[in-house]
Amino acid sequence: MTFDADSAVVDAVVPSPNFGERRGAVRPDMLILHYTGMREGDSPLARLTDPDSGVSAHYLVEEDGRILQMVPEGARAWHAGESYWQGERDINSRSIGIEIVNPGHRHGLRPYPPRQIQRLIELCRDCVERWAIAPQNVLAHSDVAPSRKEDPGELFPWDQLSRAGIGTVVDAPPMGGGRFLTIGDRGAPVTAWQTMLAGYGFELEATGTFDETTRLATIALQRHHRQTRVDGVADASTVGVLHRLLSLRAATR
Ligand SMILES: [Zn+2]
């Protein structure tokens, strides 16, 4: 069953049967960005519209910049899976999902072509404006599912989107020596770091032990905000990034 595109930037509507009703939330207030992560030659569009795949997204942005809509924005697409952000688990009901074609970590993560990013920016801007989505709610799949997902990855140009008014990026303090926290560490500084990560949005308990969950949340933070080194170690630069993000959020509240 076809429908009218929600955005003027859409090139074609290719309906997917994979959607349902948004639960609870009347309108989307999050934008979740993904890569398709498929082998060259396999069709992301075929998968996202296949009734047997059980997955979909509202939009697909091809490498040449073509934008396809598969699910109406009013409906709940199936892109986030098991996920969590700031106490919310049903991210699909709250969000618009955009799949961006890239082979991803598994099949060769590569830079996103400028044309693809340019069109993605047009699409995001349109969604963010029409739904009044806050910059801090423009997130990576890896932000809301850090233990399962790596997309859209550390080559994704969040800074470019941010300059175009989409999402939030802060300047990372320079990397250098100093103290750092890593897997296996225990104590008050670890508790403080976990409290910051949880306060930002990740699902995490402040146990005082730098465990695998803490490491994966740290990696997700780096993939989005400190892309030059994604190693799951809370060095001074990484801690500084999160401080800046939290104060920025406090200032915009
Ligand atoms: Zn994803």
Side-chain angles (χ1 to χ4, degrees):
M1 198 176 63
T2 195
F3 58 90
D4 291 333
D6 284 301
S7 167
V9 308
V10 169
D11 294 300
V13 170
V14 184
S16 172
N18 305 332
F19 67 90
E21 272 182 49
R22 292 186 183 277
R23 303 172 194 141
V26 178
R27 62 170 199 88
D29 65 354
M30 301 174 84
L31 192 60
I32 305 294
L33 304 188
H34 305 258
Y35 63 47
T36 49
M38 287 172 67
R39 205 187 306 270
E40 201 90 41
D42 288 353
S43 166
L45 184 64
R47 176 167 155 79
L48 294 163
T49 56
D50 175 0
D52 293 330
S53 75
V55 295
S56 64
H58 294 92
Y59 297 102
L60 177 69
V61 183
E62 307 264 19
E63 287 189 300
D64 64 5
R66 227 167 107 79
I67 299 175
L68 307 172
Q69 183 168 9
M70 297 160 291
V71 174
E73 288 178 0
R76 180 179 180 274
W78 303 342
H79 54 96
E82 199 174 306
S83 46
Y84 177 97
W85 192 252
Q86 289 184 350
E88 178 64 63
R89 287 185 188 285
D90 188 359
I91 302 300
N92 282 339
S93 282
R94 292 265 308 265
S95 64
I96 290 173
I98 302 178
E99 288 278 356
I100 308 157
V101 174
N102 190 296
H105 292 87
R106 206 158 148 217
H107 301 293
L109 183 67
R110 60 189 182 208
Y112 291 83
R115 177 68 184 155
Q116 186 183 31
I117 294 303
Q118 187 190 326
R119 297 295 329 275
L120 173 70
I121 286 174
E122 290 172 26
L123 174 63
C124 289
R125 185 180 283 136
D126 191 62
C127 292
V128 161
E129 282 175 2
R130 280 184 296 106
W131 294 104
I133 295 171
Q136 63 266 25
N137 282 356
V138 179
L139 295 167
H141 197 192
S142 55
D143 288 322
V144 300
S147 60
R148 298 189 303 117
K149 294 293 174 180
E150 304 175 301
D151 58 320
E154 59 274 18
L155 296 182
F156 185 78
W158 290 104
D159 53 341
Q160 206 182 325
L161 267 73
S162 172
R163 283 198 300 276
I166 299 141
T168 302
V169 165
V170 293
D171 288 331
M175 282 185 276
R179 295 185 59 193
F180 62 88
L181 301 168
T182 190
I183 191 113
D185 285 351
R186 289 162 196 270
V190 175
T191 307
W193 177 239
Q194 291 172 320
T195 304
M196 283 172 70
L197 288 168
Y200 181 54
F202 294 108
E203 181 173 27
L204 200 84
E205 273 177 68
T207 58
T209 299
F210 199 113
D211 55 8
E212 185 63 5
T213 308
T214 310
R215 191 180 76 88
L216 292 170
T218 304
I219 285 179
L221 180 76
Q222 291 171 334
R223 272 195 215 292
H224 191 152
H225 295 284
R226 214 287 302 274
Q227 297 178 322
T228 45
R229 192 190 293 165
V230 178
D231 60 2
V233 174
D235 55 32
S237 159
T238 304
V239 174
V241 162
L242 189 48
H243 268 297
R244 288 177 185 185
L245 283 168
L246 292 171
S247 24
L248 194 67
R249 186 192 287 164
T252 52
R253 255 195 193 138

